Amino acid sequence: MPAAIVLGTQWGDEGKGKAVDYLADGMDLVVRYQGGNNAGHTIIAEGRLLKLHLVPSGILYPHITSVIADGVVIDPAVLLAEMDELTQAGLDVSRLLISGNCHLIMPYHLALEKVTERFLGKNALGTTKRGIGPAYADRAARIGIRVQDVFDEKIFREKLDVALREKNAVLAKVYHRLPLDADKIVSEYMAMAERLWPHVADTSKLLHEALEEGRNVMLEGAQGTMLDLDHGTYPFVTSSTPVAGYALASSGIGPQRVERVIGITKAYVTRVGAGPFPTELADHDGDRIGERGQEFGTTTGRKRRCGWFDAVVLRYAARLNGLSEIFLTKLDVLSGFERVRMCVGYRADGQDWDDVPPHQSLFHRAEPVWEDLPGWSDEISDAHTFDDLPAPARAYVRRVEELAGVPVSVVSVGPAREQSLPVPA
Ligand code: IMP
């Protein structure tokens, strides 16, 4: 089988870690294709709880090669700490490969993001403050520093001097912060580079060869479709491109390789940070979903905003990504509600919309058109098959399929690998 793309269809935190971990079993290589350590996956495998930010979830399987592709931005200190943690947990990280083309998050990216977010005041985006936006901005401005640059001290210094000339001026003159010291950065980054060197590879070539040999490759996105720089709720988005098309651009492989596009979709919706969210609940139901779903950020610990399922968003994601199937997560969180709601359309400025409105202002004002479905009182986390689920829970899944126009292939009813139920066609 050729490549499969796995990505989030909402505003991130759809439970991708768990889904990717489940799907990775049949894969030979797992590739992370965008974002950085703004992402966070919590995985429970064989009774162990692991938190991953940069390393692809495939690392949990001894037969899988894990790859960080070109379009990911890397904070080397975070990556090394994560690798150490995985090693301590008894996992072999020697199979982790990193593209030399990945851009590095530098200390000035972190320093600048802290002050610029504050400077935006009430217009702040609510970023994860991991330096992601500034690192991608430098990449586009062509003053970024790549992983490969750190292996040549002369080049590294030259590039750092160019960047620091501007960054230090902005930090000192605009934000009244202390300038950063080039020597200190060089010695810190060179030391980290030494540890990263054995992992750096020509990952595009490696993927090409693996696909030619008929090996199974999974391309794993971070964040979600609605946080996409182009197609999300700009400017309340991340600075990279989670949609499926970018999996190929980042990994350096061609579109004809892709056979499956799997959309990870939570049975309700959450969002962290600012920006429009039509189905958001500011009531007891929202609190209850947040508590039952443990909706706190893996990376930042922030409380997530919660709301009912939004079929308009899922249809939009199905279209943008060309989804072939849906992996529906956290259905167990909805147990115990007398009735569950789905948003099947929007109303904005007296007009009905069955798609995401093309103008952001309309999206900000969009009111959900609700469809109510009967709830189920039983806990469902110990179900072994789809048919074990109570009829209203099965009907909920079938309605998601109908509204999205895409089949649900797996339903997840708990955090463990075993709590994933294949859905009959
Ligand atoms: P940034 O990616 O740190 O620049 O943050 C931009 C927006 O994306 C903010 O609203 C963040 O909360 C959101 N965001 C970034 N990464 C994630 C994620 O992994 N899950 C959910 N939201 C995220």
Side-chain angles (χ1 to χ4, degrees):
M1 189 189 72
I5 300 174
V6 182
L7 52 88
T9 62
Q10 296 156 334
W11 278 278
D13 308 313
E14 296 92 350
K16 286 186 292 295
K18 142 92 199 243
V20 169
D21 175 59
Y22 173 81
L23 295 163
D25 199 12
M27 300 289 159
D28 299 304
L29 293 99
V30 175
V31 184
R32 167 81 183 272
Y33 66 80
Q34 45 76 224
N37 60 305
N38 46 350
H41 287 340
T42 309
I43 292 170
I44 299 182
E46 280 144 31
R48 278 182 307 190
L49 186 132
L50 292 165
K51 289 191 175 181
L52 300 176
H53 297 285
L54 271 163
V55 177
S57 331
I59 203 76
L60 303 183
Y61 290 90
H63 68 278
I64 289 178
T65 301
S66 295
V67 175
I68 300 183
D70 300 34
V72 174
V73 287
I74 294 181
D75 184 328
V78 173
L79 178 59
L80 288 169
E82 196 166 309
M83 287 163 65
D84 287 343
E85 215 172 291
L86 291 167
T87 306
Q88 273 162 23
L91 294 161
D92 172 19
V93 294
S94 66
R95 293 161 297 107
L96 172 67
L97 298 175
I98 303 162
S99 168
N101 292 344
C102 291
H103 278 251
L104 288 169
I105 295 180
M106 303 298 293
Y108 44 83
H109 294 138
L110 294 158
L112 280 165
E113 185 161 30
K114 217 185 260 175
V115 285
T116 49
E117 267 285 276
R118 203 172 307 149
F119 199 71
L120 285 171
K122 72 173 176 53
N123 296 319
L125 304 174
T127 72
T128 59
K129 297 205 179 73
R130 299 297 192 266
I132 307 293
Y136 276 115
D138 280 1
R139 169 182 179 252
R142 290 160 298 176
I143 55 161
I145 298 178
R146 299 192 292 174
V147 166
Q148 57 176 285
D149 297 327
V150 194
F151 300 111
D152 180 332
E153 186 171 349
K154 186 166 162 283
I155 294 276
F156 181 38
R157 241 185 199 282
E158 256 174 46
K159 293 197 172 186
L160 183 62
D161 285 342
V162 168
L164 273 185
R165 212 175 303 145
E166 185 218 339
K167 307 297 175 190
N168 274 342
V170 173
L171 278 169
K173 292 182 186 157
V174 179
Y175 297 109
H176 312 293
R177 302 286 135 161
L178 290 174
L180 299 173
D181 179 49
D183 289 340
K184 187 165 174 277
I185 297 177
V186 169
S187 75
E188 275 173 15
Y189 274 63
M190 297 292 294
M192 292 192 283
E194 210 161 294
R195 288 194 58 202
L196 288 180
W197 180 238
H199 298 276
V200 176
D202 183 344
T203 53
S204 156
K205 186 159 179 274
L206 176 102
L207 291 171
H208 172 78
E209 287 168 356
L211 288 162
E212 286 292 297
E213 286 164 16
R215 299 175 75 203
N216 299 332
V217 175
M218 183 160 77
L219 307 167
E220 169 192 356
Q223 288 83 45
T225 301
M226 298 307 282
L227 289 172
D228 185 274
L229 185 58
D230 292 301
H231 301 286
T233 46
Y234 190 89
F236 303 102
V237 291
T238 192
S239 295
S240 66
T241 307
V243 295
Y246 189 65
L248 306 167
S250 166
S251 315
I253 60 173
Q256 78 281 10
R257 301 287 194 182
V258 179
E259 191 170 72
R260 297 166 75 190
V261 183
I262 306 160
I264 316 301
T265 303
K266 196 148 59 179
Y268 51 93
V269 184
T270 61
R271 160 160 219 175
V272 274
F277 177 5
T279 64
E280 181 169 16
L281 292 166
D283 61 7
H284 177 68
D285 285 349
D287 291 342
R288 190 184 145 93
I289 291 174
E291 277 158 33
R292 281 185 59 87
Q294 289 292 299
E295 295 296 349
F296 299 93
T298 315
T299 296
T300 58
R302 285 184 290 175
K303 192 170 184 287
R304 297 175 185 143
R305 299 155 66 192
C306 296
W308 293 116
F309 179 78
D310 188 334
V312 185
V313 160
L314 181 57
R315 270 200 300 269
Y316 181 65
R319 168 160 70 80
L320 287 172
N321 297 298
L323 297 184
S324 60
E325 62 199 91
I326 291 165
F327 189 119
L328 191 68
T329 63
K330 292 189 135 179
L331 187 65
D332 54 304
V333 172
L334 296 185
S335 296
F337 283 99
E338 210 165 293
R339 60 112 176 84
V340 280
R341 311 196 95 176
M342 287 186 182
C343 165
V344 294
Y346 300 139
R347 198 156 292 141
D349 294 358
Q351 203 181 334
D352 285 333
W353 297 88
D354 60 6
D355 207 336
V356 170
H359 199 290
Q360 180 87 354
S361 304
L362 284 170
F363 196 51
H364 274 271
R365 292 196 289 273
E367 295 284 340
V369 176
W370 296 116
E371 181 174 297
D372 287 350
L373 285 88
W376 55 94
S377 53
D378 322 354
E379 289 297 342
I380 57 173
S381 42
D382 55 0
H384 293 296
T385 69
F386 182 70
D387 289 330
D388 287 345
L389 296 176
R394 278 182 277 130
Y396 189 88
V397 176
R398 295 303 184 196
R399 189 67 184 130
V400 168
E401 289 183 320
E402 256 168 33
L403 289 167
V406 178
V408 174
S409 55
V410 182
V411 172
S412 162
V413 292
R417 238 179 231 175
E418 311 70 68
Q419 291 169 304
S420 308
L421 318 176
V423 178

